[in-house]
Amino acid sequence: MIKAVILAGGLGTRLSEETHSIPKPMVDIGGQPILWHIMKIYESHGINDFIICAGYKSSEIKKYFMNYHLNNSDVLFDIGNNKINIINNRSEKWNVKVIDTGEETLTGGRLKRIYNYVKNDDYFLMTYGDGLSDINVTDLIEFHKTHNGLATVTAVQPEGRFGLLKINNENIVSDFHEKPEGDGGYINGGFFVLSPKVLNYIDGDKTIWEREPMKKLSKENQLCAYKHNGFWRPMDTLRDKNFLKNLWVLRKAPWKTW
């Protein structure tokens, strides 16, 4: 069974309006935390086995899953006999491990901490607990199988955050693009496929996955890029959160592939 590892332990300081009481992956998007949306993306491709690398306010994530079955089903409360019966189960059939990987642990360290849960797998999936995409996870996995590298990263081209002015020689604005594309470069969009062997590239809790491990894998030609040109959006700020929430409310969420 393929496992999906989700890094969900960071502080989310740039979204402090929301994260003073809950971890960033628990920020609500249309009635469910963004973590749920990420898991649904994977589930739509047959992935139901999850490892959540928790840290900051990990108890909030544990409480969410502890009450998940009850909160996502119709329930009969037999008060006289002190019984609770589920009469319409609408909850997903997920297997979820919530692993406390430490409040101060960095991204590489969180991966290192779950080594025992993935060490016998040919590969596992990994992404961040704050990014949504309409990525085809099935195609991503098939791409990973076509090369001999230990790691595959999803490469994305984010759109520009500001309107772009085109100014002619007379200082007159000749054109304006409200949402220009990025500068053409690809960035790390998460949604990795990783061999457990990559965890040998991580020293410990203070290792940042995106620095030494990824750089070393790249130098050894062990890191391949799966180019995704569809929707991708991180939830870094309150502006991002409101943008994603509005897409969901308007039923225009591209990541809703289920």
Side-chain angles (χ1 to χ4, degrees), residues 32-51:
Q32 291 283 6
I34 191 171
L35 177 62
W36 177 88
H37 292 263
I38 296 168
M39 295 170 74
K40 291 292 286 185
I41 293 170
Y42 281 121
E43 182 198 42
S44 69
H45 292 272
I47 311 300
N48 292 294
D49 198 357
F50 297 95
I51 300 173

Side-chain angles (χ1 to χ4, degrees), residues 19 25-27 30 37 41 45 51 56 60 90 124 137 147 154 162 175 178 187 193 205 211-212 226 234:
T19 58
M26 295 303 295
V27 172
H37 292 263
I41 293 170
H45 292 272
I51 300 173
Y56 172 69
E60 295 299 318
R90 293 191 298 271
F124 63 95
V137 175
H147 65 77
T154 295
F162 303 99
D175 200 0
E178 183 180 0
I187 67 168
V193 186
D205 284 357
R211 293 185 184 173
E212 290 80 7
Y226 173 82

Side-chain angles (χ1 to χ4, degrees), residues 120-137:
N120 296 321
D121 298 342
D122 291 333
Y123 58 86
F124 63 95
L125 310 177
M126 186 276 280
T127 197
Y128 306 104
D130 62 356
L132 297 174
S133 176
D134 60 356
I135 183 172
N136 188 320
V137 175

Side-chain angles (χ1 to χ4, degrees), residues 41-216:
I41 293 170
Y42 281 121
E43 182 198 42
S44 69
H45 292 272
I47 311 300
N48 292 294
D49 198 357
F50 297 95
I51 300 173
I52 311 298
C53 296
Y56 172 69
K57 294 190 179 295
S58 62
S59 60
E60 295 299 318
I61 298 177
K62 293 173 183 176
K63 281 190 285 186
Y64 172 75
F65 286 111
M66 184 172 63
N67 296 317
Y68 190 86
H69 187 68
L70 196 63
N71 291 336
N72 288 275
S73 303
D74 293 332
V75 184
L76 170 63
F77 294 95
D78 185 344
I79 306 300
N81 294 305
N82 193 27
K83 293 181 179 179
I84 299 176
N85 294 314
I86 302 296
I87 56 177
N88 186 11
N89 180 10
R90 293 191 298 271
S91 61
E92 288 77 7
K93 299 185 184 303
W94 292 340
N95 177 20
V96 184
K97 296 181 182 71
V98 180
I99 309 301
D100 193 339
T101 56
E103 286 199 13
E104 304 297 326
T105 308
L106 302 179
T107 51
R110 295 193 190 283
L111 285 176
K112 190 80 168 183
R113 292 244 195 149
I114 55 95
Y115 172 75
N116 286 335
Y117 299 105
V118 298
K119 63 182 180 182
N120 296 321
D121 298 342
D122 291 333
Y123 58 86
F124 63 95
L125 310 177
M126 186 276 280
T127 197
Y128 306 104
D130 62 356
L132 297 174
S133 176
D134 60 356
I135 183 172
N136 188 320
V137 175
T138 300
D139 285 352
L140 168 66
I141 293 171
E142 291 304 312
F143 172 81
H144 178 77
K145 292 178 180 179
T146 64
H147 65 77
N148 296 319
L150 297 177
T152 296
V153 58
T154 295
V156 297
Q157 292 178 297
E159 68 179 24
R161 284 185 174 265
F162 303 99
L164 179 66
L165 299 176
K166 185 176 181 180
I167 305 173
N168 65 20
N169 293 333
E170 286 76 37
N171 292 324
I172 295 175
V173 176
S174 59
D175 200 0
F176 175 73
H177 298 283
E178 183 180 0
K179 293 182 179 179
E181 296 181 357
D183 60 7
Y186 283 93
I187 67 168
N188 168 15
F191 294 96
F192 293 85
V193 186
L194 302 174
S195 163
K197 293 179 182 178
V198 304
L199 303 184
N200 295 325
Y201 290 70
I202 300 171
D203 291 332
D205 284 357
K206 298 304 179 182
T207 301
I208 298 174
W209 163 248
E210 299 79 13
R211 293 185 184 173
E212 290 80 7
M214 286 188 66
K215 288 180 179 179
K216 187 175 181 181

